[in-house]
Amino acid sequence: MAWLLPRACCLKVFCQPSRGPFSSGIARAWSGGPLTAYMPEAVAFAGSRDHPGLYTVSVEQVDEFWGALGRNRLMWINPFHSVKDCNLQQGWVSWFLGGQLNVAVNCLDRHVHTAPNKVALIWEKDEPGKEVRVTYRELLELTGRLGNTLKRQGVKRGDRVTIYMPPCPLAVASMLACARIGAVHTVVFAGFSSEALADRIRDAQSETVITVNQGLRGGKVIELKQTVDQAVRVCPLVKRVLVSMRTEQKVPMSELDVPLEEEMMKEDVCCEPAVMESEDLLFLLYTSGSTGKPKGLVHSQAGYLLYAAITHKYVFDYHDGDVFGCVADIGWITGHSYVVYGPLCNGGTTVLFESTPVYPNPGRYWETVERLRINQFYGAPTAIRLLLRYGDDWVKRYDRSSLKTLGSVGEPINTEAWDWYFNVVGDARCPVLDTWWQTGGICISPRPSSPGDEILPGMAMRPFFGISPALLDDKGNILTQNNVSGALCISQAWPGMARTIYNDHKKFLETYLIPYPGFFFTGDGAYRSSQGYYQLTGRLDDVINVSGHRLGTAELEDINQHRAVAESAVIGFPHEIKGEGAYVFIVLKKGTDVSQEQLSNELKELVSKKIAKYASPEYIQVTKRLPKTRSGKIMRRVLKKIVEDKADELGDLTTLDDHEAVEEIIEGHKRLLQEEQGQ
C-alpha cells in the first residue's frame, strides 16, 4: 500500500522546532548499581539511594521529582515555569504551566535526528507472517503528509477528529498528525456498532472521521466503512470522511468521502508542528458508563506524554533496542499509552497487533513472540484465561526465549492464570506484572522496585512514582494500618491523570472528586496486606455484603483455581437471610468432564476453604461463554439484571461482542431456578 512506504526525501531538517534540554531517558535498568544509571535525575534528589528513596522523593518532593523528569525526558519549545497547580478539593489539575511543546515532535522528529532508520512500528497484520516494519523516518513522513491533508481539508487547531480504524501504521499516523497540527483525536475501537460510534461522534462534536474501507480480524472481513456510513447519517455535523484502503475491495463513496491515500500523496512530507500549551487537549477517550452514555475523558499534552513514557520505561524495564509487544487495540487507553505514545516517546520499537489470540490457532501470540523476538509482552487476563483452556502445547511449540517481562492489564488476574502465565509462558523466569490503572497509565504494579523484591501472584502491589494511594472507610476516614480493606483513593494529583469529562466537568467532580473530598476516588476497592502491598478486590459497586461481611467479586472469582474452571463471574443478588448471596457464572475448560452436582459441591468447598463458609455461593450456573465487550471485559451489569429476573431491562448492549451469549445465559438461569425449585 502506498502509504506504508512513502518515497524517501529530505525532511527540511525534519521540521524540528527549537529544542530545550533533553537527555534520552532510555537508561539501563537498575540492577543494584549506581542509581543514577537507572534514573539520571536521581543525582539531584537528596536521600534517594534506592527505590524506596526514589519513591519517597516522588511523593514528598513532587515539584523537584516531576520537574527534573519533565525537563530531561521531554523536548520543549519553551520551558515550563511551574511544575504544577493542582487542588483535588476544588477540582482543578494543571501540570508544567507555561511550557510549550509538540507531542508528535517528541514522538518522532527527535528520534529521526538520531536514528532515522530505526524501526518504530512492527505491524503484525491479521495475516500471520506478513508483518510490516515502519522506521521513524517513514512514520514521520506519513504523519507529515496526513497532517497537511487534514489542514487542507479544513481541520483546525482544537477540532475533534474521530478515528475508527484497526491497528495499522496509518491509524498511528492519524493520532500523531492530529497532535502535530493541534487537533484533538478521539479513537473509537473499530468493533463498536454504528450507534455507539455515532454517540461518540456527536458527543465530541466531531466534523471529521478517519476510517478504512474494510478491516481484517481473525480471518474475517469487517465492513468498517459501512459502519461509518450508517453512523454519519445521524451525525449532521460531520463534513468529511477520510477513507484509507486496508484491502483492495472498492466501497461506495459519497460526497462526504475523501480517498485518503490519493490526497496524502499530493502533500509535502514536512508539516509544521503546532506550538501547544502543556494543558491543551491531546485526546478524548470514551468509556462506557453504567447508564450507557459514553463519557469522554480528557487528557492533555505534556503530563500525559511524560507519564506514559516514564511508566513504559520503568514498569516494563524497557531498554533501547527491545521490541515491546502490547497486544491491546489502539481504540483502548492501553493502546494509546503503551502501543503508541509511551514507546514512541522513548524512541522504542512497538508492535501493532491486528489479529486475535486464536487466529489461525491458539498459538498466535507465541508464534508472534518467536518471529518478532518480542521482549516485553503485555496482554489481558481474559486472553490469558482463554489460552489456558487450550493447554500448554500451543505455547511450548514456540521459542519464547526473547521474553523478559510479562504484563497483565484490564482487570485483576486470577491466581491460576497468573501461575500459568508465569510458569508456562514465561518458563518461570519472566516477572509477571499485574498492572492497575487509572485512565492515562499504570498507577500500581509490582515493578519498579528494588532489585530482587518479591512478586506475589494476583497482586498489583506497589504504587508507581508519584502515586500516593489511600484506603478510606465508608465514613471517609483514612485507614492507616495494614491488613485492611477500603475504598482505593489517590491522595494527590499526578501528571497522567484525566483532567475532566468532555463538556461535563460537573460529572467528573461527582464521579471522582466529591465522594471523598480531597482525594481522587478510583471506584475500586483494595486490600493492603501486612507488608503494605495493594491487592484490588473489585469495583465497589461489585462488592457483595454477605451477612455483614463485604466481599469483593474479584476475590470470589478466584475460584478459577478449580481444575475445571476457565473463567468465572460473580454477581450479588438479594438474599432473605444473608442480605446478599453470591451467584456464580462458570465457563469450563475444554474437554472437562464433571457433573454439575460434583462441580457445585467442589466449588463451594473451595470457596469455604479459601475465604469462609459464609462466602459459599448460593447458585452456580455453567455457561458456554460470558457476555463481554469487544475489548474483553465481562458485562456484569447484564449478568446482574438476569440474576434479578430483569432481563427486559438490559439497557444499552451496543458494546456487546456476542448477543447470543446473553440469550443462552437467560435460558440457563431459568433452568437452574426450575431445578432448584423442583428439589
Side-chain angles (χ1 to χ4, degrees):
M1 288 171 281
W3 51 265
L4 279 177
L5 295 171
R7 60 179 175 80
C9 63
C10 174
L11 288 186
K12 301 179 183 177
V13 201
F14 306 111
C15 316
Q16 185 98 358
S18 59
R19 59 160 72 198
F22 166 68
S23 64
S24 169
I26 305 293
R28 290 198 58 77
W30 185 39
S31 59
L35 193 62
T36 52
Y38 169 74
M39 184 178 285
E41 295 85 355
V43 70
F45 304 150
S48 59
R49 293 185 296 273
D50 52 18
H51 176 266
L54 269 182
Y55 173 74
T56 299
V57 169
S58 76
V59 294
E60 293 184 359
Q61 302 174 43
V62 177
D63 283 21
E64 290 81 356
F65 182 84
W66 288 114
L69 266 65
R71 281 187 290 272
N72 285 342
R73 306 301 177 99
L74 298 182
M75 194 187 70
W76 298 88
I77 298 169
N78 287 305
F80 53 90
H81 57 69
S82 301
V83 175
K84 66 175 177 23
D85 180 15
C86 305
N87 188 316
L88 294 183
Q89 189 85 32
Q90 299 183 20
W92 76 74
V93 176
S94 296
W95 285 83
F96 307 115
L97 288 81
Q100 295 177 318
L101 78 171
N102 185 277
V103 165
V105 168
N106 273 273
C107 290
L108 297 175
D109 302 57
R110 64 174 176 173
H111 306 310
V112 171
H113 268 287
T114 57
N117 296 319
K118 182 178 181 179
V119 174
L121 307 176
I122 304 177
W123 181 24
E124 176 62 15
K125 300 171 71 173
D126 191 55
E127 308 92 325
K130 301 289 186 181
E131 76 274 7
V132 174
R133 287 172 166 80
V134 181
T135 67
Y136 272 92
R137 181 190 183 101
E138 291 165 345
L139 185 56
L140 178 58
E141 292 180 351
L142 189 62
T143 299
R145 290 188 191 277
L146 185 43
N148 286 327
T149 300
L150 289 173
K151 288 197 290 187
R152 184 163 50 80
Q153 290 292 324
V155 178
K156 304 179 298 298
R157 180 192 181 110
D159 287 354
R160 277 76 58 209
V161 175
T162 299
I163 300 170
Y164 186 74
M165 305 174 79
C168 60
L170 193 57
V172 174
S174 297
M175 297 166 73
L176 293 169
C178 289
R180 195 168 192 88
I181 68 173
V184 179
H185 66 70
T186 173
V187 184
V188 179
F189 172 60
F192 275 132
S193 67
S194 61
E195 183 180 337
L197 174 61
D199 284 343
R200 287 153 176 79
I201 292 172
R202 285 195 296 264
D203 190 81
Q205 300 164 303
S206 180
E207 296 181 351
T208 305
V209 179
I210 308 177
T211 190
V212 298
N213 62 334
Q214 295 176 318
L216 294 176
R217 193 165 188 269
K220 298 176 181 177
V221 175
I222 305 167
E223 301 293 346
L224 296 183
K225 170 62 163 54
Q226 198 174 93
T227 302
V228 171
D229 288 344
Q230 293 168 357
V232 298
R233 288 192 192 110
V234 292
C235 298
L237 281 180
V238 173
K239 295 180 178 179
R240 61 196 71 85
V241 178
L242 310 182
V243 184
S244 171
M245 297 294 287
R246 169 61 181 92
T247 70
E248 302 301 322
Q249 182 64 44
K250 292 184 178 180
V251 292
M253 300 283 279
S254 73
E255 60 183 15
L256 288 179
D257 299 331
V258 178
L260 186 52
E261 285 87 355
E262 290 181 25
E263 296 304 309
M264 284 174 62
M265 293 312 294
K266 299 175 183 176
E267 300 295 337
D268 193 86
V269 296
C270 183
C271 176
E272 187 68 24
V275 178
M276 305 300 292
E277 303 294 330
S278 290
E279 284 297 324
D280 284 342
L281 271 65
L282 176 61
F283 65 86
L284 309 181
L285 198 286
Y286 282 91
T287 65
S288 296
S290 57
T291 62
K293 184 181 185 301
K295 298 182 300 184
L297 287 169
V298 171
H299 284 281
S300 55
Q301 308 267 332
Y304 166 79
L305 183 64
L306 177 64
Y307 195 78
I310 296 301
T311 47
H312 170 254
K313 161 62 186 161
Y314 288 109
V315 170
F316 298 101
D317 187 19
Y318 185 83
H319 291 188
D320 194 16
D322 285 349
V323 175
F324 189 79
C326 175
V327 291
D329 193 281
I330 59 166
W332 310 118
I333 188 61
T334 311
H336 282 53
S337 297
Y338 301 116
V339 174
V340 181
Y341 287 113
L344 294 181
C345 185
N346 285 333
T349 297
T350 181
V351 175
L352 279 164
F353 187 78
E354 187 181 33
S355 195
T356 76
V358 293
Y359 178 74
N361 57 55
R364 178 62 185 272
Y365 276 169
W366 323 124
E367 186 275 332
T368 303
V369 166
E370 176 183 272
R371 177 163 36 83
L372 303 185
R373 304 300 295 165
I374 290 173
N375 302 113
Q376 294 88 8
F377 183 87
Y378 196 30
T382 298
I384 301 305
R385 289 193 292 265
L386 171 66
L387 297 175
L388 186 158
R389 296 175 65 188
Y390 289 94
D392 301 354
D393 289 346
W394 284 108
V395 182
K396 293 183 175 180
R397 68 178 62 185
Y398 299 107
D399 176 11
R400 301 165 327 281
S401 60
S402 61
L403 288 173
K404 298 191 290 188
T405 304
L406 300 172
S408 167
V409 58
E411 58 183 308
I413 185 169
N414 59 295
T415 305
E416 187 192 15
W418 193 100
D419 287 340
W420 185 79
Y421 201 21
F422 176 71
N423 289 304
V424 178
V425 176
D427 287 327
R429 60 178 181 77
C430 302
V432 173
L433 310 181
D434 180 8
T435 61
W436 176 81
W437 283 59
Q438 287 298 285
T439 55
I442 296 163
C443 292
I444 304 179
S445 170
R447 297 286 188 264
S449 68
S450 295
D453 277 357
E454 66 180 344
I455 295 179
L456 301 181
M459 293 186 76
M461 298 186 73
R462 301 177 179 94
F464 188 73
F465 299 124
I467 301 297
S468 182
L471 298 183
L472 281 75
D473 66 16
D474 292 341
K475 297 178 181 178
N477 299 312
I478 300 173
L479 303 171
T480 58
Q481 69 272 36
N482 286 343
N483 196 23
V484 66
S485 296
L488 179 56
C489 299
I490 299 177
S491 62
Q492 58 190 33
W494 68 101
M497 68 184 290
R499 300 303 195 251
T500 187
I501 292 172
Y502 187 63
N503 283 338
D504 198 349
H505 193 60
K506 181 173 179 286
K507 181 71 172 177
F508 182 79
L509 297 176
E510 291 172 350
T511 304
Y512 300 108
L513 300 178
I514 290 176
Y516 295 92
F519 293 86
F520 183 92
F521 174 49
T522 69
D524 284 322
Y527 164 71
R528 187 166 56 229
S529 73
S530 56
Q531 303 108 308
Y533 301 146
Y534 290 87
Q535 180 173 28
L536 276 294
T537 54
R539 297 292 300 176
L540 287 179
D541 52 8
D542 289 335
V543 167
I544 303 173
N545 197 325
V546 180
S547 301
H549 300 279
R550 291 167 60 84
L551 290 171
T553 55
E555 187 176 13
L556 279 170
E557 288 167 2
D558 217 26
I559 59 176
N560 287 7
Q561 293 175 54
H562 188 282
R563 69 185 190 287
V565 176
E567 204 167 16
S568 61
V570 177
I571 303 298
F573 72 98
H575 191 282
E576 59 181 2
I577 297 174
K578 298 180 179 180
E580 278 190 291
Y583 192 114
V584 182
F585 294 90
I586 295 293
V587 177
L588 298 179
K589 294 177 183 174
K590 289 191 173 180
T592 298
D593 185 17
V594 59
S595 69
Q596 170 79 34
E597 182 179 357
Q598 180 187 353
L599 177 66
S600 182
N601 290 336
E602 290 180 359
L603 288 176
K604 289 179 180 180
E605 183 179 344
L606 181 61
V607 171
S608 297
K609 180 180 177 182
K610 290 287 184 182
I611 305 173
K613 286 187 177 180
Y614 68 78
S616 182
E618 304 296 319
Y619 294 99
I620 296 173
Q621 178 178 337
V622 177
T623 185
K624 292 180 182 178
R625 49 202 163 174
L626 296 171
K628 296 179 181 179
T629 65
R630 292 178 178 86
S631 65
K633 286 195 175 182
I634 298 167
M635 295 186 73
R636 286 175 173 80
R637 67 174 179 83
V638 171
L639 293 174
K640 192 168 183 65
K641 289 293 185 184
I642 294 171
V643 168
E644 293 173 347
D645 294 319
K646 297 177 180 177
D648 57 338
E649 299 176 16
L650 294 182
D652 178 23
L653 297 178
T654 56
T655 62
L656 190 64
D657 183 54
D658 183 355
H659 287 77
E660 289 182 6
V662 174
E663 296 300 323
E664 291 174 7
I665 290 169
I666 291 172
E667 292 304 314
H669 172 65
K670 291 177 181 176
R671 287 195 303 271
L672 183 59
L673 292 186
Q674 290 169 357
E675 290 168 6
E676 290 285 330
Q677 292 166 0
Q679 289 180 352

